[in-house]
């Protein structure tokens, strides 16, 4: 199975990625440019550079994906409108892209 993990470079996401790899799954991580990928060091994962709010066409990130684990989100240090943009609008953009482009999708975990 191929899993896309948003926020996979974070503490929780990296542990999920590790578990998926150990269980024999392919893992693709959606990570913004400049993200700290140190938690993924040594893991065989594909890094797909992009931002849920940027101009990225998510169809490429979703190609062949069976599972989406959406862990990305802004938690602190932002203005309210930034939190809404990332957490609400980014999630909406991802779910809409899944509905349109993720033909093999079996599960979406938020």
């Amino acid at each position: 199975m191929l899993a896309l993990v948003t926020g996979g470079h974070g503490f929780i996401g990296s542990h999920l990625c590790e578990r998926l790899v150990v269980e024999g799954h392919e893992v693709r991580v959606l990570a913004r440019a400049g993200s700290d990928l140190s938690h993924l060091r040594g893991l065989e994962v594909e890094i797909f550079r992009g931002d849920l709010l940027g101009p990225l066409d998510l169809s490429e990130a979703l190609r062949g994906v069976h599972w989406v684990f959406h862990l990305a989100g802004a938690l602190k240090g932002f203005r309210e409108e930034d939190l809404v943009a990332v957490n609400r609008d980014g999630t909406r953009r991802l779910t809409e892209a899944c509905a349109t482009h993720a033909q093999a999708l079996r599960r979406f975990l938020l």
Side-chain angles (χ1 to χ4, degrees):
M1 296 285 198
L2 173 58
L4 174 67
V5 182
T6 68
H9 57 283
F11 180 77
I12 294 171
S14 64
H15 287 284
L16 172 62
C17 290
E18 180 179 15
R19 180 62 183 248
L20 290 168
V21 168
V22 166
E23 290 183 1
H25 303 290
E26 295 178 78
V27 176
R28 181 177 296 151
V29 174
L30 180 64
R32 291 183 322 271
S35 294
D36 177 6
L37 302 177
S38 61
H39 289 300
L40 296 173
R41 194 169 295 128
L43 285 180
E44 289 192 34
V45 299
E46 175 188 358
I47 304 299
F48 194 93
R49 292 293 187 171
D51 187 325
L52 291 173
L53 297 176
L56 170 73
D57 177 2
L58 291 172
S59 64
E60 286 301 313
L62 292 166
R63 186 178 310 277
V65 168
H66 300 102
W67 299 330
V68 172
F69 294 89
H70 181 41
L71 305 179
L75 302 174
K76 59 184 177 180
F78 295 95
R79 298 169 301 158
E80 182 177 351
E81 55 265 24
D82 296 329
L83 293 171
V84 168
V86 171
N87 296 325
R88 183 196 64 199
D89 300 341
T91 300
R92 179 181 9 210
R93 184 164 183 241
L94 179 60
T95 57
E96 289 172 353
C98 284
T100 304
H101 301 291
Q103 306 305 323
L105 188 64
R106 296 181 183 174
R107 299 262 189 244
F108 184 98
L109 180 87
L110 173 61

